[in-house]
Amino acid sequence: MPDFDVLAPVELPARGSNPAVRVRFCPSPTGNPHVGMVRTALFNWAYARHTGGTFVFRIEDTDSARDTEESYEQLLAALRWLGLDWDEGPGLGGPYGPYRQSQRLDRYAQVAADLLAAGRAYECFCAPEELEERREEARRAGRTPGYDGHCRELSDAQRATYREEGRRPAIRFRMPGTEIGWDDLVRGPVSFGHEHVPDYVLVRANGEPLYTLVNPVDDALMRITHVLRGEDLLSSTPRQIALYDALAQVGVSDGTTPRFGHLPYVMGEGNKKLSKRDPQSSLNLYREEGFLPEGLLNYLALLGWSMGEDREFFSKEQMAAAFSLERVSANPARFDLKKCTAINADWIRALPADELAGRVQSVLVGRGVLADPVGPDDAATLRAAVPLVQERMETLGQAAGMLGFLFVDDARFSPDPQDAERLLGPEAAPALGAAREALAGLGAWQAAAIEEGLRAALVEGLGLKPKLAFGPVRVAVTGRRVSPPLFESLELLGRERTLARLAAALR
Ligand code: GLU
Ligand code: ZN
């Protein structure tokens, strides 16, 4: 076990005490939360907590066709489970609310109108087929196939004609036609030539505002100072920087543009980008398997950041205390499930046993191994049993297999069929019989006495090698060849139930 004390408390500056840092996590509620998203949330959270800044949580739900209420609820549940507490956002409010974009549509419409009036955006009447045709033409001619500026300078009369034809305009942003660069907080200087950033749509012809508009508008209105997000969004940054300038002109921003930092890609199997659809990326899966939020966050912190001094085991607060953007790497990070699991196992070992028992209990209730509510006897048995498996578990879910035998009623108990076939055949009968007799006559029902009694009966009495002596007893009583330490397990199970299981195995 790593010698670093992950439970040691750390002192962080008071949240919100530093007005120079306002960061945001702003997912769209589509589908299930995934680990890439959590990594982004964590880095923003850590930066806010390190600096005494403010961590804003905003929901980008302007895509009514894809957003769902269920996904929204899952996002909130995920951040709560992880303990990534936000300072402004859903459920909390704050000075720049509402924090769900679906409740801010009137503002976006106003901003779009102001941008049109100021000449920073224009109406585009091109139909999708026409755009596609012209893009194809450009490709054939070897030109960059972006929007060609067709509607940039339409006259009032031309616009009126289009309207009469029944066309409805989209609203398109007028890019300045210059190279756009910024000093990326992770990647250093980045720039895009104007030919790579054509005029783009802010509002669809049906009136729906797009990410391209609402995200920077809210960043401006919410006075976001640092945008830390995945590298997949790198190409939206020049557009947003250009839009910011226009937003200052129409009074939406206060004239400052946030700093941008792009977190490196997370690669999955086969050196491909980890995608939302990869089963490995589903947050719910980790939760269901019984990863600790501490373990998962600890691992995700390593995807693009390092604490230094080879320290890879730390709490999120310790991460926050040590966090700096200088230590965020621009190189792709590889998601390694083995390592993630190993760190989780380290965390399981690091928790105080009572704390761990509480966590295991919720998982066992979730899996129906324990009744809900948990009775006092089961709770006490669990508390006593958890230290027996604390060193062996990698996930809390494994506790169901390791400890389930303590909680299943004897009528429904049956050993694992494969283990039973190997170890509970007719040749096991003498060992099982002798074990039953020895245990029935034992004075004190305690692990040490149980061990002594069984050794005397099986190893000395029957002359069996310990492995052959105890294997059948283990399978008969715990149901599996691999179990928590045997004698302690029997003590916890109790004499009566142990004898009943030995008798059942003998039959
Ligand atoms: N809603 C966007 C997303 O989930 C936010 C991207 C950003 O951080 O700007 O991809
Ligand atoms: Zn057009």
Side-chain angles (χ1 to χ4, degrees):
M1 157 137 144
D3 54 5
F4 187 60
D5 182 6
V6 291
L7 302 179
V10 292
E11 217 165 306
L12 294 168
R15 54 184 65 188
S17 58
N18 175 3
V21 175
R22 291 179 53 83
V23 292
R24 82 310 194 258
F25 172 55
C26 54
S28 299
T30 58
N32 298 327
H34 56 92
V35 293
M37 198 179 234
V38 175
R39 198 263 315 246
T40 298
L42 172 64
F43 281 43
N44 278 283
W45 180 91
Y47 190 57
R49 294 293 172 261
H50 179 83
T51 54
T54 298
F55 179 51
V56 177
F57 181 23
R58 176 174 84 221
I59 302 290
E60 303 214 315
D61 56 348
T62 52
D63 186 347
S64 53
R66 295 177 61 226
D67 299 329
T68 67
E69 199 60 22
E70 190 197 348
S71 175
Y72 164 75
E73 295 294 344
Q74 284 202 27
L75 281 170
L76 267 63
L79 287 204
R80 290 196 175 116
W81 177 67
L82 293 162
L84 296 177
D85 49 343
W86 56 97
D87 306 317
E88 294 174 20
L92 263 187
Y96 301 100
Y99 293 88
R100 285 186 79 166
Q101 292 186 325
S102 56
Q103 295 166 0
R104 302 169 62 82
L105 297 174
D106 47 338
R107 290 168 214 233
Y108 308 132
Q110 186 59 53
V111 173
D114 292 347
L115 290 170
L116 273 181
R120 302 300 297 261
Y122 57 90
E123 292 179 323
C124 167
F125 292 88
C126 301
E129 315 75 73
E130 293 166 338
L131 290 170
E132 186 42 48
E133 217 168 274
R134 298 202 313 262
R135 270 197 292 267
E136 194 42 51
E137 240 172 68
R139 260 183 230 116
R140 274 199 301 271
R143 282 178 281 127
T144 321
Y147 183 70
D148 55 5
H150 182 271
C151 303
R152 263 188 159 221
E153 313 296 342
L154 295 181
S155 65
D156 290 351
Q158 283 167 312
R159 284 205 297 274
T161 310
Y162 278 135
R163 280 208 159 77
E164 274 156 33
E165 287 173 13
R167 293 181 188 241
R168 290 280 155 270
I171 299 177
R172 215 177 256 285
F173 186 66
R174 192 188 300 276
M175 286 294 291
T178 54
E179 176 167 311
I180 296 182
W182 70 96
D183 189 10
D184 196 275
L185 294 162
V186 175
R187 317 183 66 78
V190 179
S191 74
F192 282 77
H194 70 90
E195 67 283 11
H196 297 294
V197 199
D199 295 353
Y200 61 93
V201 174
L202 300 170
V203 181
R204 286 210 176 95
N206 67 8
E208 212 172 73
L210 295 177
Y211 163 78
T212 50
L213 175 71
V214 299
N215 176 278
V217 164
D218 279 348
D219 284 349
L221 289 173
M222 296 179 181
R223 301 295 186 245
I224 297 303
T225 58
H226 297 73
V227 171
L228 306 176
R229 59 182 174 193
E231 188 176 337
D232 50 322
L233 290 155
L234 192 73
S235 62
S236 14
T237 302
R239 299 166 164 193
Q240 294 182 356
I241 289 174
L243 179 58
Y244 253 92
D245 183 63
L247 291 178
Q249 186 184 338
V250 299
V252 170
S253 95
D254 63 1
T256 51
T257 302
R259 303 283 317 265
F260 291 86
H262 292 87
L263 310 176
Y265 281 120
V266 178
M267 314 303 279
E269 295 292 330
N271 239 20
K272 283 207 304 272
K273 251 175 60 191
L274 191 65
S275 105
K276 283 191 243 205
R277 283 163 296 278
D278 261 313
Q280 264 199 28
S281 76
S282 155
L283 180 69
N284 293 340
L285 193 103
Y286 294 91
R287 196 171 170 177
E288 282 156 21
E289 291 206 350
F291 277 73
L292 301 177
E294 290 92 336
L296 188 62
L297 288 177
N298 187 164
Y299 179 66
L300 293 179
L302 303 176
L303 296 181
W305 180 74
S306 61
M307 185 176 271
E309 294 156 29
D310 286 336
R311 254 160 58 179
E312 293 198 322
F313 188 48
F314 45 76
S315 68
K316 69 180 192 302
E317 289 77 16
Q318 290 163 350
M319 173 196 186
F323 192 75
S324 79
L325 291 167
E326 287 77 54
R327 295 199 77 97
V328 177
S329 157
N331 299 327
R334 203 173 76 80
F335 188 90
D336 177 353
L337 185 56
K338 274 212 191 92
K339 178 147 190 191
C340 181
T341 309
I343 285 184
N344 196 60
D346 286 340
W347 264 96
I348 287 180
R349 286 192 280 272
L351 288 188
D354 276 356
E355 168 70 27
L356 181 60
R359 311 253 194 137
V360 169
Q361 181 167 308
S362 335
V363 170
L364 295 187
V365 168
R367 297 193 175 197
V369 173
L370 284 174
D372 191 12
V374 180
D377 290 350
D378 280 352
T381 303
L382 182 63
R383 186 128 329 136
V386 157
L388 304 181
V389 293
Q390 184 161 13
E391 298 289 319
R392 311 177 176 207
M393 268 191 289
E394 293 182 308
T395 62
L396 302 179
Q398 290 169 352
M402 293 178 179
L403 299 178
F405 75 94
L406 290 168
F407 304 107
V408 61
D409 341 316
D410 293 316
R412 279 182 32 226
F413 174 79
S414 68
D416 175 87
Q418 271 181 8
D419 290 348
E421 199 183 303
R422 289 180 57 174
L423 288 173
L424 294 183
E427 67 289 354
L432 293 173
R436 190 164 72 127
E437 216 167 290
L439 293 177
L442 205 64
W445 191 257
Q446 279 164 351
I450 293 170
E451 174 167 12
E452 203 179 308
L454 286 179
R455 279 193 196 282
L458 305 182
V459 181
E460 283 135 44
L462 296 182
L464 294 171
K465 290 221 165 64
K467 210 170 153 201
L468 289 177
F470 301 131
V473 175
R474 190 187 291 277
V475 176
V477 175
T478 72
R480 304 160 118 226
R481 266 191 309 133
V482 180
S483 77
L486 181 61
F487 312 114
E488 285 81 354
S489 295
L490 301 196
E491 178 183 331
L492 282 175
L493 189 63
R495 188 193 311 254
E496 241 169 85
R497 300 178 74 193
T498 300
L499 294 179
R501 289 184 189 185
L502 288 170
L506 274 163
R507 284 195 299 272

